[in-house]
Amino acid sequence: MLIKRKSIEQQESSRPARKPKYAPVTLSEQDGVRYLHFGTEWVQGAMRIRKSDWPELEYAQQMMGWMLWLEQPRHVAQLGLGTATLTKYCYKQFPEAKVTAIELNPSVIAICASMFKLPDNDERLQVLEMDANDYVNDAANHGTLDVLQVDLYDATARGPVLDSAEFYQACAACLGEDGIMTVNLFGDHPSYAKNLKAMKFAFEQVICLPEVHDGNVVAIAFKTRRGALDFAALDARAAQIVAATKLPAKSWVKGLKTLSAGK
């Protein structure tokens, strides 16, 4: 029996959209630190319970490496909420800035509110339940960000779930001319080289901080080329960051010097 294509399309459009299946959100605690997992042993984020606004994991601290070049961002966005570490920190540290977080899984947003002390949305903070790819490809968001922090991993932690040149081009489009993106990568995983290649296609300049003990490597991508690193200026800025925030910014500059000397 032949069925007209139009009738098939009408049938399909009348069916309710299937809800995406997510890995279970699970928690663990050890030595005063609460961890988020997606049903596996892989850690998706952490919070020291007595210091809920502090970036507990070293790679999360390095994700703030853009502070070496930008002192007062007006709009910071985070793709992938995790335990809301970066979102909470930026919201507290930059009281004049707008902070936006994009998270696809509603359970992650709920657990961050109930177990990781994520504040409610207000005039400065917006946590949006949506696909990160949709966010960066929305023309309304283009040119609106000073900083974009990308930490997009699923339960398998095999590499960022969005890693194409087209995705990073859309990320670059969301940034202003002096905008900076930081991305959490796995240095010893095949996804590392693929992501770096895609970033270098989309951004004028890309540098990396040294790998931390868990294998994470934070890439820093500049929409506009900055040229050779001015280590005297970076040293001075790092000292300011340490004094104001206690983030280990001097170690970031030391790592950049080491990598630069090794080239």
Side-chain angles (χ1 to χ4, degrees), residues 119-256:
D120 294 333
N121 284 353
D122 59 22
E123 67 277 1
R124 286 203 304 118
L125 175 64
Q126 290 293 310
V127 179
L128 304 175
E129 182 190 327
M130 66 182 300
D131 191 300
N133 201 44
D134 292 339
Y135 178 84
V136 297
N137 279 288
D138 186 344
N141 298 319
H142 290 178
T144 65
L145 303 178
D146 298 306
V147 177
L148 182 60
Q149 302 173 136
V150 182
D151 192 6
L152 294 168
Y153 284 82
D154 60 14
T156 64
R158 293 177 180 172
V161 294
L162 296 173
D163 59 7
S164 67
E166 291 78 14
F167 168 70
Y168 286 121
Q169 280 182 310
C171 289
C174 288
L175 293 167
E177 285 306 305
D178 292 325
I180 301 176
M181 176 182 72
T182 55
V183 184
N184 175 31
L185 301 173
F186 277 163
D188 58 355
H189 192 273
S191 63
Y192 176 72
K194 177 182 179 181
N195 278 269
L196 274 188
K197 183 178 180 180
M199 270 184 262
K200 289 178 179 178
F201 178 81
F203 284 80
E204 289 292 319
Q205 187 173 0
V206 180
I207 60 177
C208 291
L209 292 171
E211 182 175 315
V212 299
H213 66 279
D214 292 322
N216 301 78
V217 174
V218 170
I220 305 174
F222 302 90
K223 185 166 181 177
T224 300
R225 179 172 293 279
R226 303 280 176 138
L229 297 178
D230 183 344
F231 286 115
L234 291 174
D235 280 331
R237 176 60 186 148
Q240 292 177 340
I241 294 170
V242 172
T245 70
K246 297 184 179 178
L247 286 171
K250 291 181 181 180
S251 71
W252 307 341
V253 178
K254 181 179 179 181
L256 291 173

Side-chain angles (χ1 to χ4, degrees), residues 19-27 36-42 44 103-109 111 153-157 161:
K19 291 184 178 180
K21 292 183 179 180
Y22 301 109
V25 176
T26 52
L27 303 177
L36 176 72
H37 311 266
F38 291 157
T40 71
E41 75 279 6
W42 291 101
Q44 301 289 339
E103 174 56 51
L104 184 61
N105 187 340
S107 296
V108 172
I109 298 174
I111 207 76
Y153 284 82
D154 60 14
T156 64
V161 294

